[in-house]
Amino acid sequence: MPELAAHVRDVPVNQIREITEAAWRTPGALVLSIGEPGFPLPRHVLDAGMACLDRDETNYTPNAGIPGLREAFAARFREQQGVDVGADRVYVVAGAQQGLHLAMSLLLSPGDEILIPNPGYPTFAMTARLLNAEPVGYPLYPGHGFQPRTEDIEALITDRTRVLVLNSPSNPLGAVLGGDLTRELMELARRHDLWVISDECYEAFTYDVPHISPARFDGGTRGEARVFTSLTLSKTYGLTGLRIGALVCPPELKQQMDNVMESIVSCVAAPPQYAALAALTGPQDYVQHASRHYRENRDAASAVLDAKGIPYLQAQGAFYLWADLSHASGGDVRGWVRRFLADAGVALAPGTAFGSIGEGWVRIALCGQKQDLLEGLSRLPARTGLE
């Protein structure tokens, strides 16, 4: 059998999937390793998708998506971020992951470098490697609240650097970038003429702080605009399996976007698009209920960790807690989460899934039922003494 391409062979295992699939094979396991919202979908969203099938509307849609959905995404972005974005800049994609792949396909040539957060979501690096580009992690240190520092990023920029990836609210950290820091990062990108990919999958869920998109500080013309904003309805409305999101692009890229979209996926299926349109334009009770649930779970989980003496980053957004289990993991958190699943029946995402700085840390998903969350955390080993 011929060998696969080297850049495919070198893509690392996604450690989140590794532990989660092991948990799914473990009877009675409490799965706190994956960000899967657990609420029933609103009836009007389901009805809209099924009505599309009932109409037999199963033909191709435009590359960029149905017009109404593009406008709904644009209207939400204008309302929430105050950015003058028209529907012509919105491309409907098969989930945020496809949007990230689409953006990187436009921006990266073989050998180019892309700056990604460390710790950061694993597919930032995986997708770059599939395009023969080189991911370069910029550090997010515990001593700085896991916030990026412009000087750390600037020190990594070379003549091959093309793209800066920002992620706020952060998966896995729950950290949120403030306005001043976001402006500084955009000024850095302008100084070095970098594109910016902004992953805003969790924009609907922040706690006592605003979500501020880098697009607020972007230029208004093609010559100056540099931000691609990745959005999804997977987390906001619990539509993970429908694979629906949007990529908001700089202006005047229609032909290039159409060409690349056609070559990757052609278009998104019609039923998820109509379900998404109903979600964006209909009642927002689901989002409000989910936000309250995640905040309550965050506070309840924090109380358990406090009682056990386990350090963690106070989550300002998303629906994860980033906790320090170095007292138990012995320098191998990936191995420790496997043993913890086998011994305690609880699955946690190892911090090394998100980068080298994640060693010793775990990501705890807060989106499930509170009783399962608290039961799982009750089995964590307490931190005692002066470790």
Side-chain angles (χ1 to χ4, degrees):
M1 172 177 183
E3 284 192 343
L4 296 174
H7 66 279
V8 174
R9 297 197 304 270
D10 292 342
V11 173
V13 171
N14 186 326
Q15 295 177 37
I16 307 169
R17 276 282 175 180
E18 178 182 65
I19 191 66
T20 301
E21 292 190 359
W24 289 339
R25 297 191 298 268
T26 303
L30 299 172
V31 183
L32 307 181
S33 55
I34 195 168
E36 179 76 75
F39 308 114
L41 294 184
R43 187 71 242 174
H44 69 280
V45 175
L46 296 171
D47 287 344
M50 289 187 285
C52 178
L53 291 171
D54 287 339
R55 296 192 302 270
D56 192 20
E57 194 168 335
T58 54
N59 297 327
Y60 291 121
T61 67
N63 288 130
I66 60 175
L69 181 55
R70 298 178 73 192
E71 175 53 38
F73 270 114
R76 177 183 170 89
F77 202 63
R78 288 194 300 267
E79 177 185 350
Q80 296 191 344
Q81 295 300 322
V83 178
D84 185 16
V85 169
D88 61 307
R89 291 175 55 185
V90 175
Y91 269 69
V92 178
V93 291
Q97 182 53 46
Q98 193 248 314
L100 291 171
H101 186 256
L102 177 61
M104 290 189 196
S105 297
L106 285 161
L107 306 180
L108 294 170
S109 297
D112 284 348
E113 294 176 349
I114 177 171
L115 296 165
I116 63 172
N118 174 13
Y121 193 63
T123 62
F124 296 153
M126 295 169 72
T127 305
R129 291 194 184 282
L130 283 174
L131 296 168
N132 286 293
E134 183 66 29
V136 177
Y138 60 84
L140 307 177
Y141 292 121
H144 298 287
F146 290 98
Q147 293 283 339
R149 298 191 302 177
T150 54
E151 59 266 35
D152 291 334
I153 297 175
E154 195 153 28
L156 296 169
I157 295 174
T158 73
D159 59 2
R160 293 194 295 144
T161 309
R162 297 288 179 268
V163 181
L164 170 64
V165 174
L166 301 176
N167 176 209
S168 179
S170 166
N171 176 9
L173 304 170
V176 174
L177 298 179
D180 290 343
L181 179 54
T182 303
R183 186 191 300 272
E184 287 179 21
L185 293 167
M186 285 298 298
E187 289 172 352
L188 173 69
R190 274 192 289 272
R191 284 199 305 275
H192 293 275
D193 199 25
L194 303 180
W195 293 103
V196 174
I197 298 176
S198 179
D199 178 350
E200 302 178 27
C201 288
Y202 296 88
E203 48 83 23
F205 305 118
T206 61
Y207 313 109
D208 304 318
V209 296
H211 166 61
I212 298 175
S213 174
R216 292 194 190 187
F217 308 109
D218 202 12
T221 64
R222 184 182 180 186
E224 183 58 29
R226 63 187 66 248
V227 177
F228 288 78
T229 305
S230 178
L231 304 170
T232 183
L233 302 190
S234 290
K235 311 304 182 182
T236 309
Y237 298 96
L239 303 181
T240 53
L242 290 190
R243 310 310 304 139
I244 195 82
L247 188 67
V248 183
C249 307
E252 301 177 38
L253 293 179
K254 180 183 185 311
Q255 190 60 62
Q256 296 93 330
M257 290 293 298
D258 283 345
N259 292 346
V260 178
M261 187 73 173
E262 177 68 25
S263 68
I264 294 175
V265 73
S266 184
C267 61
V268 176
Q273 292 195 59
Y274 282 98
L277 179 59
L280 285 169
T281 59
Q284 299 299 298
D285 306 57
Y286 179 98
V287 184
Q288 295 160 10
H289 172 68
S291 184
R292 288 193 300 270
H293 176 78
Y294 302 150
R295 179 193 286 265
E296 290 171 2
N297 275 8
R298 180 202 65 171
D299 294 345
S302 298
V304 174
L305 297 182
D306 286 337
K308 288 179 170 286
I310 297 173
Y312 60 93
L313 181 67
Q314 182 66 39
Q316 293 184 311
F319 46 62
Y320 304 106
L321 268 185
W322 184 245
D324 182 358
L325 268 293
S326 57
H327 65 283
S329 59
D332 177 18
V333 75
R334 183 182 184 185
W336 180 81
V337 297
R338 294 174 182 170
R339 294 191 298 274
F340 189 60
L341 172 62
D343 296 341
V346 180
L348 305 169
T352 48
F354 308 96
S356 59
I357 296 176
E359 179 57 68
W361 295 74
V362 297
R363 190 195 70 176
I364 302 163
L366 303 172
C367 43
Q369 296 300 312
K370 183 184 293 185
Q371 60 267 31
D372 291 341
L373 172 65
L374 297 184
E375 174 58 32
L377 297 186
S378 74
R379 302 178 192 177
L380 287 173
R383 185 173 185 262
T384 60
L386 299 175
E387 294 115 333

